[in-house]
Amino acid sequence: MKENRTIFHIDLDAFFASCEERENPQFLGMPIVVGADPKGGNGRGVVSTANYSARKFGIHSALPISRAWHLCPTAIFLPVNSTLYSRVSSSVMKILKSTAQKYNGKFAQVGIDEAYIVLEARSRTISNPSAAAVAKEIKQKIFKQEKVTASVGVGPNMLIAKIASDFQKPNGITVVNLKDVQKFLDPMSIRKLPGIGPKTEYDLKKFMVQTVEDLRKIPQSTLYDEFGQPGISLYESARGIDHRVVDEERETKSISEEHTFEHDTDSAQEILPIFFSLVKNVLNTTERGGYKNFKTVTIKIRYSNFKTHTKSKSGAYSTKDSDKIEKLALQLLWPFLNKKIRLIGFRVSGF
């Protein structure tokens, strides 16, 4: 780990729900769930975001919307407002980019609601402020301009910064110095390490692993024998090792949108208008975010039996070529219009 760099991970708190709360102050303090229509507990689709009041009831992103309704039927259920979220995100990212430039640092957006800033020690030409002071400055600027909160994690690499941003949510600041990395990580559940999901957690139970400290005691050779190359990543993550470099040009991964139909359908007359609306929304969001050029177009199909398929095409694309992209997207989609469809999606990536 490089001792001369400080990495900030800025994560907007319950972003979609926070935007809705800002626009609808009458909902302040109430559980808010953004996602599909719950239809009294019979709706299809999933939760996009839940605010922290809703999370107290066990509601979280990707939870079936019907389950969310049964957990808290008195919550405020709102549809996804992509235009609003894109506008607020674009404003926040301009703040972050400006802050990075102020301190001669690097900025990389990695999603609609998160970004990294990297400051090299030698580049801090403006009074060499502390990491905590810069984090506080970032949060204050965001709230003053957009009235949404952010949590900021600061560390010597991307891994530690990202874990730290989640440590004191919402509206928190967590700074982890290089010398304190292991002390910070060891007591944590292994699920706090990015990339460890339920399956890996289950597989690690045979080694009696529950915390990062437990994982750190497993030899690298054992992890490699059990998991292959990902086992090396587990070994390094448990030690706070992360060799990734924040890339200003390529760090944003993708922009996408999905739609779940109320009833499974194989009707092109029903599917295509919604699909082209998704394409238009994604291209508009991409352009507003300043990403006018991209390399890959992907469509996603989920059938009524929940089998999911994706199909991609790579090339040189621009948001200005909307007609061309719509035709390409339709070509990718068409072979899949032979069975009843539950969900469709459209994604662009490779900015």
Side-chain angles (χ1 to χ4, degrees):
M1 289 182 282
K2 295 182 179 180
E3 297 187 37
N4 65 339
R5 68 174 181 170
T6 302
I7 297 184
F8 298 74
H9 181 249
I10 302 94
D11 194 3
L12 299 173
D13 299 318
F15 178 51
F16 292 0
S18 294
C19 290
E20 297 293 353
E21 207 165 3
R22 184 194 76 173
E23 297 296 299
N24 301 280
Q26 69 272 23
F27 298 151
L28 189 65
M30 301 174 67
I32 296 175
V33 179
V34 178
D37 186 346
K39 295 186 178 299
N42 296 310
R44 295 153 62 96
V46 298
V47 174
S48 292
T49 307
N51 71 353
Y52 289 90
S53 295
R55 292 180 192 188
K56 293 177 182 178
F57 293 88
I59 301 173
H60 55 79
S61 298
L63 185 75
I65 199 70
S66 57
R67 176 63 178 155
W69 187 89
H70 286 291
L71 287 171
C72 186
T74 59
I76 306 298
F77 288 87
L78 299 171
V80 174
N81 186 344
S82 299
T83 301
L84 169 63
Y85 312 147
S86 296
R87 186 171 68 246
V88 177
S89 172
S90 179
S91 175
V92 169
M93 296 307 159
K94 287 178 182 177
I95 292 170
L96 298 179
K97 188 172 184 178
S98 174
T99 303
Q101 291 171 343
K102 173 181 174 181
Y103 295 111
N104 297 318
K106 295 179 180 180
F107 160 80
Q109 182 178 354
V110 293
I112 193 171
D113 58 353
E114 60 177 322
Y116 287 96
I117 290 176
V118 184
L119 300 184
E120 302 285 347
R122 60 180 177 276
S123 72
R124 295 184 217 169
T125 57
I126 303 179
S127 71
N128 194 28
S130 71
V134 174
K136 185 176 180 181
E137 175 187 342
I138 289 168
K139 285 164 49 63
Q140 288 176 338
K141 285 180 177 178
I142 292 172
F143 189 77
K144 181 179 180 180
Q145 185 162 319
E146 292 299 331
K147 298 298 184 290
V148 295
T149 64
S151 293
V152 181
V154 187
N157 58 41
M158 294 173 70
L159 172 73
I160 301 303
K162 184 170 179 61
I163 294 173
S165 69
D166 190 55
F167 193 66
Q168 296 190 77
K169 269 189 167 291
N171 203 23
I173 296 175
T174 301
V175 179
V176 182
N177 295 313
L178 181 64
K179 64 182 178 62
D180 298 322
V181 163
Q182 207 61 65
K183 182 170 65 174
F184 174 67
L185 289 178
D186 274 354
M188 290 185 175
S189 163
I190 55 171
R191 288 294 297 273
K192 293 294 184 180
L193 294 178
I196 295 186
K199 184 180 185 305
T200 304
E201 181 184 34
Y202 178 82
D203 290 341
L204 285 168
K205 283 185 177 179
K206 69 175 70 174
F207 300 106
M208 304 298 290
V209 170
Q210 292 184 318
T211 67
V212 173
E213 184 177 15
D214 295 335
L215 178 59
R216 193 161 52 85
K217 294 175 181 177
I218 307 298
Q220 185 180 58
S221 58
T222 302
L223 291 172
Y224 181 79
D225 290 342
E226 183 71 20
F227 299 100
Q229 191 60 37
I232 304 301
S233 297
L234 290 175
Y235 180 86
E236 293 184 341
S237 294
R239 288 158 176 76
I241 298 170
D242 185 1
H243 301 294
R244 292 176 298 162
V245 176
V246 174
D247 188 329
E248 293 179 291
E249 298 298 324
R250 308 178 72 87
E251 198 59 45
T252 296
K253 297 175 182 177
S254 66
I255 294 174
S256 63
E257 193 162 316
E258 297 179 351
H259 175 83
T260 301
F261 292 99
E262 292 187 17
H263 304 282
D264 299 339
T265 179
D266 56 6
S267 168
Q269 290 181 326
E270 183 177 1
I271 295 169
L272 293 183
I274 292 174
F275 180 69
F276 287 130
S277 176
L278 295 181
V279 174
K280 181 179 179 180
N281 290 343
V282 168
L283 293 180
N284 287 341
T285 300
T286 301
E287 187 165 24
R288 280 196 298 269
Y291 304 101
K292 296 183 179 181
N293 301 301
F294 49 93
K295 294 182 178 180
T296 304
V297 168
T298 303
I299 63 100
K300 177 179 179 180
I301 294 290
R302 180 168 297 148
Y303 289 128
S304 56
N305 61 2
F306 286 89
K307 287 188 176 180
T308 303
H309 303 269
T310 60
K311 186 74 173 178
S312 299
K313 182 75 173 179
S314 294
Y317 306 114
S318 167
T319 54
K320 294 180 181 179
D321 301 326
S322 58
D323 290 342
K324 173 184 174 182
I325 294 168
E326 284 185 0
K327 291 179 182 177
L328 171 60
L330 180 58
Q331 290 173 2
L332 295 174
L333 175 71
W334 197 258
F336 295 97
L337 299 181
N338 57 356
K339 297 179 183 178
K340 287 190 177 294
I341 290 173
R342 177 183 178 88
L343 174 148
I344 55 173
F346 178 75
R347 180 175 76 240
V348 297
S349 57
F351 301 105

